Amino acid sequence: MRKQSIFLKKYGELIPIYVVMILMIGINVWKQPNFFSVTTLSRTFNQLAPYIFISMAQMCIMLIGGMNFALGGLVSLSTCIFAKTMVESDLRNIPRIIAVILLIGVMEALVGYIIGHFRLPTIVVTLATSFIYEGLALGILPTPGGYVSPNIATFLTGRIGPISVAFLMCLVFVVIWCLIRRSSVGLLIYAVGQNRNAAFSSGLNVTWGYVMAFFINGVLAALAGLMLCARTMSGDPRIANDMTINAVTAAVLGGVTFSGGEGKIAGTIAGAVVVGMLVNVLFYLNITGFYTYFVQGIILIISVVVNNWRRGARRNA
Amino acid sequence: MRKDNDTPRQLVKKSAWGIIGANKQIIALLIVAAIFYIVSFIVSGTKFIAILHISSFMALAAMGQTLVFLIAGIDLSVASLLSAAGILLCTLVDKGVSFAGSVVLVIAASAIVGSLNGLGISYLKIPPLVMTVAMQYILRGATLVTTNGKPIAISTASLSYWVNQGVIGPITGGILVTAICCVMLMWMLYKTKFGREIFFMGSSPRVALMSGINNDVITLKVYTLAAALTGLTGIMLVGYTGTAAVRIGDSYLLPSIAAVLLGGTSPLGGKGNVVRTIIGAFILCNTVSLLTVLQMSEAARQVIEGIIVLIFIVVNNVDIQRKKKKKA
């Protein structure tokens, strides 16, 4: 067999999704000549940041096996809590924001504990929690509204020098994920996802793996909620309910598998960019309104089929 | 337990206990259902037949889901398919197709949607959740484009009358259709080769495959049958509400899954049946009517429903694990 370079072996499967991503960006540049200006770039990042966070959150759960069906509801709930807890004084807002992010993380960690301890199927439990989160969101904020501090919103959607804050936040959390991935927790998540029984037999704490995966998932979902809050300047109990499918599509496009234990952050982010830019591209193609549902469904099916086919081809090689 | 030197009286006693012992779970479920009904009757005074009528639609929507759960799948396209079936029925009736003809056409169209689900899941190896979610989006897009999001009223009042009024004594059309479907499905599950193959495949797809069962064909058939049942439910819902709207099915998606889980059908496949689902739907409807009478908001109702489902999942699963330990 011909020797391949290590880089190609490790990241070769990500080439197609990056080609699609560059194509998407290309269409945007073509239709929007000032795409690379500082303001347009930062606006694009503000639009993409929630998709990137929610896709990373979905990736965490898919890596350990299963998928989080409640993710959209959770993001909506977090926007409601943010909009409800923020006050005028920004000095008091910062600890509040951190507390809300941790609260959402701990809530999800509890769900992870239930799934890990009782050995329940992830999909069914998250289906039940999606009920609970959507109900809670409607209970906290029946109609879109609430108060989001303008200073915080302008900071999050603005930029430091020429670099957008949304981009920096994504970068920071990607770096954090890369560190987690190389730590014992990351290895635990991948090990449980690959083969739960083998992980248990080797003396790993499977329940802890679920707790950590769901905790990270919750924190990322809360961050997606924060970015949405900053962009819309309000909380909305239904804003992200349709984003669950987008997150799954992004992760699958990025090569994360449903059986768990396989997938890379680099792919997921490319997938998230593609999914996030899709709205723009569909707009340029004059596909609007009701047809987007149609296109989203078909793209999801195609991406899963291509992913399966690629994995099959690699196994046979 | 049974010894050869038992007296006839002892034998009768033992076999009576045997019947109760074998159906312990379903009896427990019936007792829970009875408690739920009595509580909701005391609080709200709703008649038994009225609750049965409401729960018949939920039970019908959950029957197809039960079949899919038995082969360890899940069908989320239910929500959009219910709406799509209703809209198709109204459109066909408006276009002048005879009522019976349009019912047949709607069920056939639903079955085609289901077979697409089945094909994707079995031959393209798409996970059931993803395939059916994608189908849900495709159908929602299609229904929104055709109706522009507006509800359509049914032009024949006879359907509405037949579904909601007593057909045989106090038994309404909704209850009647649900009962007939239940009997037919139970017969199919327990008395035909296909039914046994469903259980076999659900318990262990690998063993089923090695014993010469074609899992792909079974998957295809089950999803088609489930979608046909969903189409039928869509028609009944048009009769129940009098209109067909794009979002009408959405409120039936999670309850249909909840009813299946409350009845103790395992999401891991191979365990459960349709009667359990009907009892589950009955429990759920009692809860809903109870919470409505207590003037809970829609939001609080959703949270409580979610918590009840979560508790039932945990309880059912603990039971399964204890059994496994006993066997080991």
Side-chain angles (χ1 to χ4, degrees):
Chain A
M1 212 172 80
R2 195 164 54 85
K3 248 190 183 178
Q4 276 181 326
S5 76
I6 293 173
F7 180 81
L8 211 64
K9 213 173 180 180
K10 214 169 163 188
Y11 295 103
E13 57 172 4
L14 296 182
I15 291 171
I17 182 65
Y18 271 87
V19 170
V20 175
M21 186 179 91
I22 290 166
L23 205 72
M24 285 280 188
I25 295 173
I27 294 175
N28 271 285
V29 173
W30 173 43
K31 289 282 182 184
Q32 219 178 346
N34 61 346
F35 184 79
F36 285 111
S37 76
V38 176
T39 39
T40 322
L41 265 186
S42 90
R43 200 166 63 227
T44 312
F45 265 110
N46 291 339
Q47 188 194 334
L48 289 179
Y51 285 102
I52 291 178
F53 282 129
I54 200 173
S55 307
M56 278 168 72
Q58 191 65 269
M59 181 191 70
C60 276
I61 305 301
M62 282 171 71
L63 282 179
I64 204 159
M67 91 172 232
N68 192 348
F69 197 75
L71 201 52
L74 187 63
V75 174
S76 306
L77 174 64
S78 67
T79 67
C80 292
I81 300 179
F82 280 125
K84 202 79 181 172
T85 52
M86 279 201 196
V87 288
E88 298 263 344
S89 142
D90 284 324
L91 216 56
R92 276 161 57 202
N93 267 337
I94 291 163
R96 274 163 194 245
I97 289 174
I98 294 170
V100 172
I101 292 175
L102 287 179
L103 171 80
I104 301 275
V106 170
M107 257 164 57
E108 277 289 270
L110 198 67
V111 176
Y113 178 77
I114 292 173
I115 291 173
H117 183 81
F118 294 110
R119 283 182 249 166
L120 301 172
T122 316
I123 291 166
V124 181
V125 174
T126 52
L127 208 65
T129 53
S130 78
F131 250 125
I132 299 175
Y133 292 150
E134 280 167 26
L136 277 178
L138 280 172
I140 291 171
L141 211 65
T143 50
Y147 173 79
V148 176
S149 154
N151 289 335
I152 287 181
T154 22
F155 172 72
L156 285 174
T157 54
R159 48 182 194 270
I160 304 172
I163 304 164
S164 104
V165 176
F167 175 72
L168 281 178
M169 270 176 69
C170 291
L171 198 66
V172 166
F173 279 91
V174 169
V175 170
I176 291 178
W177 169 257
C178 289
L179 293 177
I180 293 174
R181 161 82 181 87
R182 279 156 185 77
S183 73
S184 60
V185 172
L187 288 176
L188 178 60
I189 292 175
Y190 273 82
V192 174
Q194 287 276 358
N195 189 336
R196 188 188 166 134
N197 291 337
F200 183 77
S201 306
S202 335
L204 295 177
N205 191 342
V206 173
T207 310
W208 182 243
Y210 275 96
V211 169
M212 284 317 283
F214 273 86
F215 178 74
I216 300 167
N217 160 72
V219 167
L220 289 168
L223 284 167
L226 185 63
M227 291 309 295
L228 281 175
C229 260
R231 233 178 69 204
T232 57
M233 290 288 284
S234 66
D236 184 343
R238 295 184 198 276
I239 190 166
N241 288 0
D242 277 345
M243 274 173 88
T244 313
I245 185 176
N246 289 332
V248 177
T249 313
V252 172
L253 279 172
V256 182
T257 58
F258 281 94
S259 44
E262 245 179 282
K264 291 192 178 63
I265 182 98
T268 306
I269 287 177
V273 171
V274 169
V275 169
M277 290 221 161
L278 194 67
V279 184
N280 290 1
V281 173
L282 290 181
F283 178 75
Y284 294 136
L285 296 176
N286 275 329
I287 300 172
T288 46
F290 300 147
Y291 283 103
T292 46
Y293 284 116
F294 205 77
V295 175
Q296 276 176 344
I298 287 176
I299 287 180
L300 180 57
I301 292 181
I302 292 174
S303 61
V304 175
V305 171
V306 170
N307 208 355
N308 282 349
W309 171 73
R310 216 165 54 193
R311 275 177 72 214
R314 207 176 57 210
R315 281 233 179 99
N316 292 339
Chain B
M1 301 298 154
R2 207 153 140 187
K3 286 172 202 157
D4 290 334
N5 55 358
D6 276 343
T7 58
R9 179 178 281 237
Q10 273 171 323
L11 262 181
V12 168
K13 206 173 160 190
K14 273 184 185 168
S15 61
W17 275 114
I19 290 167
I20 294 175
N23 297 311
K24 220 168 18 191
Q25 282 183 326
I26 209 134
I27 289 169
L29 205 61
L30 277 173
I31 292 170
V32 172
I35 292 170
F36 268 78
Y37 172 66
I38 290 166
V39 170
S40 100
F41 180 74
I42 290 168
V43 175
S44 65
T46 325
K47 278 187 193 143
F48 182 71
I49 210 83
I51 295 259
L52 211 57
H53 178 61
I54 302 168
S55 52
S56 69
F57 299 103
M58 200 181 279
L60 202 56
M63 273 182 198
Q65 197 72 261
T66 314
L67 294 180
V68 176
F69 265 52
L70 283 177
I71 58 164
I74 192 165
D75 188 354
L76 294 181
S77 62
V78 167
S80 301
L81 189 53
L82 283 177
S83 321
I87 287 167
L88 185 62
L89 180 78
C90 292
T91 324
L92 284 176
V93 170
D94 274 352
K95 288 259 164 69
V97 183
S98 74
F99 182 73
S102 34
V103 166
V104 171
L105 277 176
V106 168
I107 293 178
S110 310
I112 290 171
V113 170
S115 65
L116 287 179
N117 274 338
L119 282 174
I121 292 160
S122 55
Y123 291 101
L124 296 176
K125 305 277 172 245
I126 302 172
L129 186 86
V130 178
M131 182 66 214
T132 52
V133 165
M135 187 55 84
Q136 181 190 343
Y137 271 67
I138 292 173
L139 283 177
R140 185 183 290 168
T143 47
L144 279 170
V145 168
T146 49
T147 63
N148 267 322
K150 290 188 203 98
I152 310 175
I154 181 101
S155 44
T156 53
S158 57
L159 175 67
S160 200
Y161 179 80
W162 186 79
V163 167
N164 290 315
Q165 302 300 317
V167 178
I168 309 166
I171 309 266
T172 61
I175 300 174
L176 192 67
V177 170
T178 309
I180 291 171
C181 284
C182 173
V183 170
M184 280 170 66
L185 285 177
M186 285 305 271
W187 176 78
M188 189 203 81
L189 281 177
Y190 287 98
K191 296 290 174 199
T192 66
K193 185 170 163 249
F194 176 52
R196 301 320 295 169
E197 282 175 345
I198 290 177
F199 280 106
F200 199 3
M201 184 198 156
S203 318
S204 175
R206 234 185 133 75
V207 174
L209 190 69
M210 286 168 179
S211 332
I213 289 174
N214 192 340
N215 286 352
D216 289 346
V217 171
I218 303 246
T219 310
L220 182 59
K221 279 187 191 165
V222 166
Y223 277 91
T224 311
L225 188 58
L229 278 167
T230 310
L232 179 63
T233 317
I235 296 169
M236 300 302 287
L237 274 180
V238 171
Y240 180 48
T241 56
T243 53
V246 173
R247 294 275 173 179
I248 213 164
D250 287 16
S251 54
Y252 273 84
L253 170 63
L254 289 174
S256 83
I257 292 169
V260 179
L261 289 170
L262 286 184
T265 298
S266 166
L268 305 173
K271 182 181 166 286
N273 60 41
V274 177
V275 171
R276 285 165 165 275
T277 301
I278 292 179
I279 303 174
F282 184 73
I283 294 177
L284 202 65
C285 280
N286 273 310
T287 321
V288 171
S289 85
L290 188 65
L291 295 175
T292 315
V293 170
L294 293 175
Q295 297 194 327
M296 292 267 188
S297 65
E298 173 72 34
R301 227 161 61 194
Q302 220 174 358
V303 173
I304 291 174
E305 272 176 35
I307 291 171
I308 289 177
V309 173
L310 203 55
I311 291 171
F312 266 76
I313 299 169
V314 172
V315 169
N316 280 332
N317 201 61
V318 169
D319 205 45
I320 293 168
Q321 281 183 11
R322 207 189 299 143
K323 250 190 201 162
K324 266 187 194 157
K325 252 181 212 165
K326 247 186 210 168
K327 269 184 198 162

